[in-house]
Amino acid sequence: MNSRSRLSRIFTAIIMFVSPVYSFLVTPPRSETVRKALRFSSRSGQRTCSSQPRLTATIDEGSETSASTDAPTEASTIREQKYQELMQTTTLSLAPMMEYTDRHFRKLIRLISSNTLLYTEMVAANALAHERADSKANYRMQHTAASEEQVVANYEDSYLRRFLAQSGIHVPPGEGASVLQLGGSDPQQLYQAAQTVAEMSQRGHCDYTALNLNCGCPSPKVAGKGCFGAALMDDPGLVAQLTTALHEGSQGKLPITVKCRIGTDSEQAFNKAAYAEVDEGAEYAKLCRFIEEVAAPGIVTDFSVHARIAVLQRKFSPADNRKIPPLKYNYIRRLCEDYPEFTFSLNGGIESLSQVQRELELCPKLKGVMVGRAWAADPWSFSMSDSLLYGKDDDYEFGNRFEILKAYCKHADDEEERGDPARIRRFITKAITPLFAGEPNGKKYRIALDEIAGIPKKLKAQAKSLAGQPKISELIMNCALDSLSDDVLFRSRKDSFEMLQEQERAKSQKDPRPNNGERSAVVTEWQQRRKAESDGLYEQMLSNGLVTAKQEAPTNQHAQIRNLTTAGTGGLSHNYRVFLGVGSNLGDRFQNVRKGIQLLCRSDEVRMLRSSFFHETAPMYLSEQPSFLNAAIEVETSLEPHVLLKLLKDVEQDLGRNFSEVRNGPRPLDLDVLFCDRFENGAWKHLEIDSSELQIPHPGIAEREFVLKPLSEVSGGEYMHPLLNQTVQQMNEQLPKSTGPSAVRVLPLPRNRTILFNETIVMGILNVTPDSFSDGGNWDKSVAVAVEHALQMQRDGASIIDIGGESTRPGAKEVEEEEQIRRTVPVIKAIREESDIPISIDTRHARVTRAAVEAGADIVNDVSGGLHDDRMLETVAEMGVPIVLMHMRGTPETMLSMTEYTNVVDDVTQSLKERVKAAEEAGIPRWLQIADPGIGFAKDMTGNLLLLKNLDKIRSHLHDIPIMVGTSRKGFLGKLTGVTEASERDFATVGSMIAPLCLEGKDHTCSILRVHNVAATVHATRVLDAIKSV
């Protein structure tokens, strides 16, 4: 941090400390309706206090606290105009959704509907308050004589515009009726956030209709860590303070609204069966008390209520909160009857325009309906909303999607002219991705959009300019015109809506069950069956004496926690580095681990740094159960170890683990804290904890090979056990062979399959190309011919089939992606119908990768190591499949001119290390990576031989990553042997592959040989493996 920034923050802190403060004391008399509701509450259930401590805060820059005055003021006049605009448009609202309702998506919705009320993504008040304070402090430092008015008028606001700017603000009617949603639990910060909005409005960057306080978001990051969102429902008095702060900060010029839920599970942790028996009278009474206390200051009269409770104690994800708790629309309808002076909008579970109409008809006093995910999934399905909900005629400015897309393209050009295309283009294209959802070739359109989205970033990475490139508007229109039919592009709103209604009728006849937000009966039945089977397994173990019932551990009254302090006091300071053991032996083991890590790292509080490889291990303590997949990961976190442990247990529970079951029994996911370091005084220091809940280091490390092997891989083996004074590698080497079964390295594959590296793996080559150097034209005549050859290679002993639709021989030209897909995907699908053998797709292109994996491929073999297509690594990470990262310079057309190296072994090794790191940073763990030195790709004869001679060195420098070698029938073998016909070089191929492996140590068995002649290679590797095993 530079000196100016440090001084700025110090100055900001001083200003905020000495600012005047005051309390919110105004509480107008309750209306007759409020008194009536209180009488109802006293009959239905007793008033209960929040289980959370009451949060208090003060507001600086004080002003009058009265919510209303006797005479109309300029502020009240403006507020009344805004309120009328709000009431005229709230019939249908676009719900706030993180990562969806940005200004680009709101622009699209405004083109579809000129009347729908638009909500922004939630903006955290502290972000606005701190950025504004910093900007003002910076301006004061540079202009020491400036008055407060000058500071407010001139401080830098570019960062704030990222949160608050609206599209087309200078072109009437701008964005139209829209609501800015704010989140926070500190009145002072919300006051300052509202001030910021007012200042940005004065500068012409935004013109919101209202401000909304988020009291409904159930995300653990918001309601748990942030103590706002749905957590605020348990403290309505604080909510009243927060809305008053928004009112005062906006100078009384904007209506203040609240978005909430029907309640939370704060009094009793949510359980679906128990919740079915809940006292609905008491639950509704609590909701009434929330409405009353929030409305008491006379500021809030408009509420958007989600018809589900927020489950906070179970750490449900937002998606779980949208699906699992039952919908109770009757609560919102009853609120409309009991509080006629307030307005209510219904939210939750609304999936179509027809459903919006039904809800408004069922409850005439309902002011509006809020829709979120349905808008985001298929915005065109709401194209008739202005006619059907607002009584507007059918003379829309934009009558079809082609016209809407043209209008949106103008917005896209304007945005790129003002901003950085490399940063914003993906957001611009993301907004229009669902515009043709469900239409023929809609997927082709989405893929084309995805391609143009990456162009600016790719050019920037190559230090190239966008100058001379087509405008984004031209690219978008070409995507649509090239992918979609005229019928789709020019179909009118009315025709589209009638088609949609017909589809809904057909669906309702096929599946008459009502959409009530519950999980399907099939899913429920499956869950019950799975639990019964699991319970039965443990009961059988208990009855057979294989295990003993779990006993509660006695409480250790004298447990001492050494060297333990809380996490950093400000921001997300990742001051803990933790090694975790991960394992699974129930269900799809790899997917269980993958999902568990995704849940663990879904917030900024935990970030995975690196991973080990996966190991297949037999159960150590309880033998009568399935084998485990085990690994280790290193994470950095801001969470104190006991808090991290709680998060780990929540993740295990989310994945189905039952903690009441027997210890060391089968489990879908196991997460253990092995070691933990804390950063203090400029250095990492080992942490030791000995409490009843947690012991660090983990007491079982030294006796468990299934822990030590992966831990050695992820830590480099040099991590020192703070109590035993031995490195992880030393403990692993000293482990007695009798301690337990050996851990075997595995490559995890989709559909709960693995490849075991307990022998050398042979990959059979299947080129469905007309021009490959050895077998071009042999297997591309028909799908049946290709499939039969694949099955023959499987019979000959191949463990993997590698299918390629593009020749990468020297001098070969690039093949179009569509052609590669046409060649490979039918073959993959046909093999899948006959065999479950692992299939690799040999391609440099992300689109081909996606199509192949969706068709049934398991592995990606990229000869460019992810460099040819900048979307490759992120695509592989998203799909969760292994990737072969090969070394190559240039392209097949240019690589033979790029064979000069300073030291070919060191240069290739370094390049592969960089690709491995890039893959990890893209989200591909080490357990999904394979390296290939690229024999014959930009190497001359000597280079190829040196790489083969030094495979052991390359593998060692890559931390024992699996190595794939592909010398099969290549030209340098012909030069060595004098065999000119490629198909006759199989003897040389076997020799070139077996000899290097003989030079390696006996423990190095993680090798894959890619060959044309499978039978000969399999025979040779069996002899090699047998020799190495003795």
Side-chain angles (χ1 to χ4, degrees), residues 272 513 519-533:
K272 198 168 183 179
R513 289 176 297 176
R519 290 187 175 182
S520 70
V522 175
V523 173
T524 302
E525 180 185 353
W526 173 82
Q527 289 177 324
Q528 293 172 347
R529 184 172 66 250
R530 177 179 172 184
K531 184 179 187 304
E533 291 171 353

Side-chain angles (χ1 to χ4, degrees), residues 843-973:
T843 183
R844 299 176 287 167
H845 301 85
R847 279 187 62 201
V848 181
T849 291
R850 186 177 296 278
V853 173
E854 290 176 349
D858 307 289
I859 303 169
V860 179
N861 179 13
D862 185 351
V863 297
S864 76
L867 287 170
H868 181 76
D869 187 334
D870 64 357
R871 299 165 303 155
M872 176 61 89
L873 295 182
E874 65 182 56
T875 300
V876 173
E878 175 192 340
M879 308 201 83
V881 295
I883 184 172
V884 180
L885 300 163
M886 198 192 83
H887 175 269
M888 179 175 69
R889 286 177 169 178
T891 67
E893 291 182 85
T894 63
M895 62 185 180
L896 288 187
S897 64
M898 307 174 74
T899 59
E900 295 294 326
Y901 296 85
T902 303
N903 182 305
V904 66
V905 175
D906 291 346
D907 291 352
V908 168
T909 302
Q910 181 58 34
S911 178
L912 286 174
K913 287 173 71 174
E914 292 171 359
R915 299 319 301 152
V916 166
K917 182 179 179 182
E920 280 193 305
E921 291 175 348
I924 305 173
R926 194 186 303 183
W927 56 58
L928 291 177
Q929 297 182 30
I930 302 163
D932 183 341
I935 303 298
F937 287 81
K939 285 91 178 176
D940 57 17
M941 169 78 75
T942 303
N944 289 326
L945 295 177
L946 284 171
L947 288 171
L948 290 171
K949 182 179 180 180
N950 289 279
L951 281 185
D952 195 34
K953 179 180 178 181
I954 295 171
R955 191 195 305 268
S956 176
H957 282 285
L958 294 176
H959 304 293
D960 207 25
I961 196 170
I963 296 291
M964 188 169 87
V965 182
T967 66
S968 187
R969 299 178 179 177
K970 289 188 175 176
F972 82 101
L973 298 177

Side-chain angles (χ1 to χ4, degrees), residues 562-565 576 641 675-678 680 685-689 696-697 719 722:
R562 297 184 296 274
N563 300 327
L564 186 60
T565 60
Y576 292 96
F675 292 120
C676 179
D677 294 348
R678 184 177 64 235
E680 58 181 35
K685 297 184 179 180
H686 296 326
L687 201 62
E688 299 174 27
I689 297 178
I696 299 177
Y719 189 94

Side-chain angles (χ1 to χ4, degrees), residues 93-106 109 116-123 179-182 212 214 217-219 259 261 306 318 322 347-350 370-379 382 427 430-431 434:
S93 301
L94 170 66
M97 294 175 288
M98 295 302 293
E99 300 182 0
Y100 281 98
T101 48
D102 60 14
R103 67 178 184 272
H104 309 297
F105 188 69
R106 299 198 304 270
I109 302 307
T116 296
L117 181 64
L118 308 179
Y119 275 73
T120 70
E121 299 175 286
M122 183 190 71
V123 179
V179 178
L180 174 67
Q181 185 178 78
L182 294 169
N212 176 265
N214 183 333
C217 179
S219 166
K259 180 174 178 286
R261 295 234 167 189
H306 194 295
R322 289 193 302 270
N347 182 26
I350 305 297
M370 183 173 275
V371 180
R373 301 286 158 177
W375 263 118
D378 187 4
F382 290 84
F427 297 102
K430 178 184 177 181

Side-chain angles (χ1 to χ4, degrees), residues 525-543:
E525 180 185 353
W526 173 82
Q527 289 177 324
Q528 293 172 347
R529 184 172 66 250
R530 177 179 172 184
K531 184 179 187 304
E533 291 171 353
S534 179
D535 291 345
L537 173 63
Y538 296 126
E539 289 297 330
Q540 183 179 357
M541 289 180 177
L542 287 168
S543 63

Side-chain angles (χ1 to χ4, degrees), residues 254-284:
L254 293 177
I256 309 301
T257 68
V258 167
K259 180 174 178 286
C260 63
R261 295 234 167 189
I262 61 171
T264 72
D265 67 339
S266 59
E267 295 181 358
Q268 182 177 357
F270 177 83
N271 175 282
K272 198 168 183 179
Y275 187 68
E277 306 299 326
V278 72
D279 183 346
E280 292 196 345
E283 187 175 47
Y284 178 74

Side-chain angles (χ1 to χ4, degrees), residues 362-379:
L362 285 171
C363 183
K365 293 183 180 180
L366 186 66
K367 188 60 183 177
V369 175
M370 183 173 275
V371 180
R373 301 286 158 177
W375 263 118
D378 187 4

